[in-house]
Amino acid sequence: MAVPVLSFVGRSNSGKTTLIERVIAELVRAGYKIATVKHAGHGFDLDTEGKDSWRHKRAGASSVIVLSKDSLAMFADVPEEMKVEEVRDRFLDSSYDLIIAEGWKSEGYPKIVVVREQVGEVPFSPDGLLAVVSDKPINAPVPVLDLNDVAGVAALIAKHFPRVSHELDA
């Protein structure tokens, strides 16, 4: 069974990342195993200039993987923007309960829209809309939760995406 994807969408600086960070902590306390995928519409460069991995990539390696005792990082060329399910199917195993994606507002993933008074609303596809999280009153056909109601957002997510049991649970 494929790990489900939930997307958080909203304008830049609307508080998506902070909300996601707080919701992840709440879900992890409830026993969830979470993966996240962040959309960077303008590209990004995470590797540090001068480090060995940066030097390998600059020399022409298409993929560079850095391993340590507790971590793995991969820098790889991709021919085009990937969808979250392509990332899931290629890089994540089925032990996760949920993938939280930041972005992909036009895809049909179930989504929570973050709306802030000072940054305005973002156009989004109504497909799969689960909730709106806002610091102002919003009229919507789905639950509208306060931006600071992290427990409420996590409970709504848990209702829609029940946790799967893991072999390592004891």
Side-chain angles (χ1 to χ4, degrees):
M1 185 161 130
V3 178
V5 175
L6 171 64
S7 183
F8 280 72
V9 300
R11 289 224 182 267
S12 183
N13 296 317
S14 64
K16 296 180 304 293
T17 301
T18 301
L19 178 61
I20 289 169
E21 178 181 26
R22 295 173 69 200
V23 166
I24 289 169
E26 191 81 18
L27 291 171
V28 167
R29 275 192 293 277
Y32 278 73
K33 183 175 179 187
I34 303 292
T36 64
V37 180
K38 164 83 170 112
H39 185 258
H42 301 291
F44 65 94
D45 187 11
L46 295 178
D47 210 2
T48 305
E49 185 174 344
K51 291 290 187 179
D52 293 351
S53 54
W54 176 86
R55 293 170 62 193
H56 295 178
K57 192 80 176 80
R58 187 184 66 168
S62 296
S63 295
V64 176
I65 298 173
V66 180
L67 284 172
S68 71
K69 179 179 150 199
D70 298 324
S71 299
L72 176 144
M74 177 176 179
F75 306 95
D77 297 336
V78 293
E80 59 189 15
E81 186 171 315
M82 297 173 72
K83 293 186 177 199
V84 178
E85 63 266 16
E86 293 173 306
V87 173
R88 174 195 62 206
D89 297 345
R90 192 170 180 184
F91 300 111
L92 299 173
D93 63 40
S94 63
S95 70
Y96 292 89
D97 295 299
L98 181 63
I99 297 168
I100 294 178
E102 185 174 336
W104 288 277
K105 68 179 178 250
S106 299
E107 298 294 330
Y109 306 124
K111 66 181 66 70
I112 293 175
V113 176
V114 179
V115 177
R116 293 290 294 274
E117 183 82 48
Q118 75 274 23
V119 292
E121 297 181 23
V122 62
F124 59 87
S125 164
D127 295 343
L129 182 61
L130 295 183
V132 175
V133 176
S134 183
D135 62 351
K136 66 179 185 174
I138 299 278
N139 200 3
V142 294
V144 177
L145 300 162
D146 185 86
L147 191 61
N148 292 308
D149 185 7
V150 175
V153 174
L156 179 112
I157 292 169
K159 178 181 172 191
H160 285 279
F161 302 98
R163 189 176 160 264
V164 297
S165 63
H166 299 288
E167 291 178 26
L168 300 177
D169 288 349

